[in-house]
Amino acid sequence: MLRFSLLLLCLGYFAGGDVCSAQSVSQPDLGLLTNRLGTWDEVMTVVTATHPNGVKLSSLQSGSLQLRGRFIEVTNQGRAFDSRMLATFDPRSGRYDHWFFSSNRQADHWIGTASEDGKEIRWTMKDANGGTAESKWIFLDANSIELTANLFDADGKLVTKVRRSLTRKNDE
C-alpha cells in the first residue's frame, strides 16, 4: 500500500497535479545570472595563432529562466555554430556553475565566483585534454555585457583569446 501511495504521489507531481501545492516554493536566488536574461546582439572576436588579427563573428543570444527558475538558459544562434548554456548559482557557497554545449561538439563545465563589487563573474574551466581557461563576464550596465576568455593548452600556452560584446535588443 505504501508503494502505491508513493507512486500516486510521484505521478501527481510529475503530471503537474497540486499534490505538492502545500509546500511553498520560493523563487531561487540566481545572483548576477539574471543579468543574462533577455535577447542580445553579440559581436565576438577570436584571436588564435592562425588568426592573429582576430576573426569577427556575430550572433543573437536569448536568455530565459528554466527548470522552475533554478537555471538560466542562454541559446546562441550564429553563422559559425549554435550553442546552449545552462547556468545556476548556489547562494550558500557563492558558487556559480555553467555548462556550455555547442553544435561543434564542445561541452564544458565552468565554475565561477562574483567579484566583491558585484559587477562581474570570474570563471575557470579545465578541459578533457588538460587545457584550462579563464573568463570574465563584466556587467557594464543593464544593456551591455563584456565577456572575455583566455584558453590555454596543457602546457599553459595561450592558444585562444576571445572578446565578446553583448548589447540588449530594444524590442523587449
Side-chain angles (χ1 to χ4, degrees):
M1 183 66 170
L2 179 60
R3 286 184 189 172
F4 183 73
S5 297
L6 288 174
L7 177 64
L8 286 177
L9 178 66
C10 290
L11 287 174
Y13 177 76
F14 289 111
D18 62 348
V19 173
C20 299
S21 64
Q23 298 176 351
S24 69
V25 178
S26 62
Q27 179 63 31
D29 178 2
L30 291 172
L32 295 172
L33 293 174
T34 56
N35 291 314
R36 295 296 305 269
L37 293 172
T39 305
W40 302 80
D41 285 318
E42 176 190 42
V43 176
M44 176 170 44
T45 304
V46 180
V47 177
T48 63
T50 56
H51 299 289
N53 295 326
V55 174
K56 285 200 178 216
L57 304 166
S58 61
S59 66
L60 181 67
Q61 287 193 1
S62 180
S64 61
L65 293 172
Q66 297 296 323
L67 300 170
R68 297 186 182 219
R70 298 205 183 282
F71 289 83
I72 300 245
E73 178 184 42
V74 177
T75 57
N76 187 347
Q77 298 174 335
R79 284 185 173 175
F81 65 91
D82 294 339
S83 66
R84 173 166 287 143
M85 178 201 68
L86 284 174
T88 192
F89 174 63
D90 180 354
R92 293 173 305 212
S93 67
R95 175 176 157 159
Y96 289 87
D97 287 277
H98 86 70
W99 296 265
F100 177 84
F101 307 93
S102 73
S103 59
N104 63 5
R105 300 184 65 179
Q106 182 178 351
D108 300 318
H109 174 219
W110 294 74
I111 298 170
T113 57
S115 61
E116 288 195 22
D117 64 5
K119 294 185 179 180
E120 64 184 56
I121 303 174
R122 297 178 184 132
W123 300 94
T124 58
M125 183 270 300
K126 293 182 181 181
D127 71 22
N129 299 318
T132 60
E134 302 167 347
S135 177
K136 287 183 187 177
W137 294 359
I138 305 164
F139 304 103
L140 302 172
D141 58 43
N143 297 310
S144 304
I145 303 172
E146 184 175 295
L147 298 92
T148 62
N150 294 318
L151 289 78
F152 303 90
D153 65 14
D155 297 324
K157 178 183 172 191
L158 179 65
V159 292
T160 306
K161 198 171 196 166
V162 179
R163 181 182 174 127
R164 300 160 59 192
S165 297
L166 279 68
T167 305
R168 187 181 301 277
K169 291 188 65 80
N170 291 328
D171 58 359
E172 297 188 309

